[in-house]
Amino acid sequence: MTYPIPTHGALRQASRQSIQELFNRDPEAYTRGDLDDIIHAMRDLRDRLASSTEGKVRQVRVAIPKPTGVGNPDDLGL
Amino acid sequence: MAHPFEVMPNPSFSKAEPLLQTHLDSTSLNEFKICPRRYYYSIVMGYQPMEQSVHLTFGILLHSVVEHYWLARLEDNLSHDEALRRIVKELMVATWEKDKGKPWTPDNKVKNRFTLVRTAVWYLDKYQDDPIETLVLPGGRVGVELPFRMPTDYLTQDKERFVLCGKLDRLGTLNKNRYVTDIKTTQRTINNWWYDRFSPDNQFSIYSIAAKIIFETEVLGILVDACQVVQTFSDFQRGIVQRTPEQLDQWMNDLGFFLAQLEWCARNNEWPLNDSACNLWGGCPFRRVCSAQTESIKHMVLENEYRRRVWDPTFQTLDY
C-alpha cells in the first residue's frame, strides 16, 4: 500500500527500515527497534527540514482570514 | 417531535425527565448553543456521521498520548525516550484497523497517521523539559488527566441539580502562576488573532471555574499549546488565554439562561432549528437531515448516513 509521504525531500533509507514498511506492519508486533526507527525517522525529517530552511525567511503561505464569524472546518478547536 | 428511533439510555440525563440532560460538558453545551435541533440529534439521540471527522480523531488521539506521556514521566518515572516509545506504540496501535489488517488511512493530506505520529514526536521532543511544573494534588495524585463534575446552583423543575463535567489535561505552575494546560491543533499560522478565538469560549470558561472550585486552584488562565499541522511540518507555540473573576461570574450567570432553554426544549420535546447556524464551521453535519422534505426521507438519511453512540460526559470515573 502506498502511504502519503511528504513531498519535501525523500526519507533516507540507509540501514534503517523504511517508514513505509513500518507503517504497513501490525504495530502489536513492533519491537523496541521498530519504535526507535519510527522516532528516528521523525527526528531526521525535522532536522533536515530545519537545515534546509536555515537562514531563510519562512514564507507565510497560509492566508490569515479576517474573522467573519464563519469558522473553518479544519479548526474545530481540537 | 417524534423520535425516529428509540432514545438510548444515557446516565447524564435526568431520571425524572428522560430528554433532559443534567450532566453537561462543553461539547453538549456548545451543541445546544449552536442549535437546539443539532443538539437533539447529536446528544439526545446520539447520532454521529458514519465517518468520524478526521479532525476529531486526530485531536482526541493527540490529547490522549500527550496525557499518557506525562503520566509515564511523572508516575512511572520513565525517561523521555522510554515514554516516547510507549506513546508511539500506543498511537500506532490506535490507528491500526485490526479487523481489516491495515492502517487507518483517512483521505486527508494534512491529518493522517503519519502527521499524527510526527506531531506527537516533535511536540514531546520540544517540551520534554517543560518549564511547566505539574501540580501534585493532596493525596499524591499527579495533576494530569483530571476528570471533574462540578455541581452548579441551577436546579431542574424536579429539583435535580445541573452539573458541569469535563476533564482537565493538566494543572501546572509556571513562574509561580498556576494554569490549566490544553492542546489545540490547527492548520492556520498561529498568531495573537488565533488565540483571540478562545475568549469567550465555553470550554475554557468551564476549565477555569473547575480549577478554582473542584481543585481549589486559582488559575491565571489556560496555557494553550497550539500545534500547527500541515502536510510537510508541524509547528508549536504556547500562549495564554485568561479569564477574570468577573468574566467567569458572568458566564455562570448566562449559563442559567441556556439551561432554562434546554429544560423547556426537553419538557416540551420541541427542538427549534437555528437556521443561522447551518452554514457555520463548514456546514452542520445534520444539514441533510433537516433539509429532508418528508419524515420518511429524514429517517432514511439518519439510518443510512449516521451511526449512533452515547455521548456521556459522566463516563470518566473520578479517581480522587
Side-chain angles (χ1 to χ4, degrees), chain B residues 40-59:
Chain B
Y40 168 75
Y41 285 127
S42 67
I43 304 295
V44 178
M45 298 304 291
Y47 287 108
Q48 185 186 43
M50 281 291 187
E51 193 62 36
Q52 176 164 285
S53 159
V54 65
H55 309 289
L56 190 65
T57 302
F58 195 99

Side-chain angles (χ1 to χ4, degrees), chain B residues 181-250:
Chain B
T181 72
D182 202 67
I183 296 174
K184 297 294 184 193
T185 56
T186 180
Q187 287 178 230
R188 298 183 178 183
T189 302
I190 304 157
N191 51 32
N192 287 341
W193 176 77
W194 188 85
Y195 282 97
D196 286 348
R197 71 183 52 219
F198 297 113
S199 295
D201 173 81
N202 272 332
Q203 183 186 33
F204 286 171
S205 295
I206 291 174
Y207 284 0
S208 299
I209 296 168
K212 181 178 175 181
I213 295 177
I214 302 293
F215 301 105
E216 297 177 348
T217 302
E218 197 86 38
V219 296
L220 196 62
I222 314 296
L223 214 144
V224 183
D225 283 342
C227 304
Q228 182 189 13
V229 182
V230 298
Q231 187 174 354
T232 53
F233 69 85
S234 301
D235 199 9
F236 313 100
Q237 278 195 45
R238 186 167 270 183
I240 296 172
V241 175
Q242 292 185 283
R243 291 287 188 276
T244 65
E246 293 75 24
Q247 286 174 323
L248 295 179
D249 285 344
Q250 185 62 57

Side-chain angles (χ1 to χ4, degrees), chain B residues 14-45:
Chain B
S14 162
K15 306 283 185 291
E17 177 49 69
L19 297 182
L20 177 59
Q21 188 181 19
T22 54
H23 289 63
L24 296 99
D25 59 356
S26 61
T27 298
S28 307
L29 203 51
N30 273 345
E31 292 290 275
F32 185 77
K33 285 183 175 183
I34 291 171
C35 170
R37 183 74 58 85
R38 171 175 166 152
Y39 167 85
Y40 168 75
Y41 285 127
S42 67
I43 304 295
V44 178
M45 298 304 291

Side-chain angles (χ1 to χ4, degrees), chain A residues 3 23 36 43 74 77-78, chain B residues 55 85 113 125 184-185:
Chain A
Y3 197 89
F23 269 57
D36 284 344
R43 288 172 172 165
D74 294 329
L78 290 169
Chain B
H55 309 289
R85 277 187 209 102
R113 197 180 193 217
D125 271 353
K184 297 294 184 193
T185 56

Side-chain angles (χ1 to χ4, degrees), chain B residues 76-258:
Chain B
D76 300 338
N77 291 313
L78 295 188
S79 68
H80 167 68
D81 284 340
E82 286 167 339
L84 201 56
R85 277 187 209 102
R86 181 185 283 188
I87 65 98
V88 167
K89 172 88 181 268
E90 185 182 322
L91 264 183
M92 296 301 281
V93 169
T95 52
W96 180 262
E97 293 175 351
K98 201 168 184 176
D99 53 335
K100 296 174 187 170
K102 66 182 186 76
W104 171 62
T105 45
D107 185 20
N108 190 301
K109 290 181 181 176
V110 174
K111 287 187 177 173
N112 51 58
R113 197 180 193 217
F114 183 91
T115 60
L116 178 58
V117 176
R118 182 192 71 200
T119 301
V121 172
W122 290 16
Y123 173 81
L124 291 170
D125 271 353
K126 180 179 171 109
Y127 290 112
Q128 59 178 296
D129 297 317
D130 199 342
I132 299 173
E133 202 176 310
T134 305
L135 281 180
V136 177
L137 303 179
R141 170 78 155 81
V142 170
V144 174
E145 217 172 334
L146 299 171
F148 62 85
R149 291 180 205 171
M150 186 167 57
T152 69
D153 292 335
Y154 298 108
L155 301 177
T156 71
Q157 290 176 26
D158 296 309
K159 305 300 180 207
E160 289 172 288
R161 193 167 294 277
F162 283 106
V163 177
L164 292 174
C165 307
K167 187 174 70 160
L168 304 184
D169 280 2
R170 192 159 64 125
L171 270 174
T173 307
L174 179 66
N175 298 331
K176 298 182 183 176
N177 292 314
R178 292 185 172 179
Y179 298 94
V180 174
T181 72
D182 202 67
I183 296 174
K184 297 294 184 193
T185 56
T186 180
Q187 287 178 230
R188 298 183 178 183
T189 302
I190 304 157
N191 51 32
N192 287 341
W193 176 77
W194 188 85
Y195 282 97
D196 286 348
R197 71 183 52 219
F198 297 113
S199 295
D201 173 81
N202 272 332
Q203 183 186 33
F204 286 171
S205 295
I206 291 174
Y207 284 0
S208 299
I209 296 168
K212 181 178 175 181
I213 295 177
I214 302 293
F215 301 105
E216 297 177 348
T217 302
E218 197 86 38
V219 296
L220 196 62
I222 314 296
L223 214 144
V224 183
D225 283 342
C227 304
Q228 182 189 13
V229 182
V230 298
Q231 187 174 354
T232 53
F233 69 85
S234 301
D235 199 9
F236 313 100
Q237 278 195 45
R238 186 167 270 183
I240 296 172
V241 175
Q242 292 185 283
R243 291 287 188 276
T244 65
E246 293 75 24
Q247 286 174 323
L248 295 179
D249 285 344
Q250 185 62 57
W251 188 89
M252 284 301 290
N253 190 60
D254 295 347
L255 177 65
F257 168 78
F258 291 105

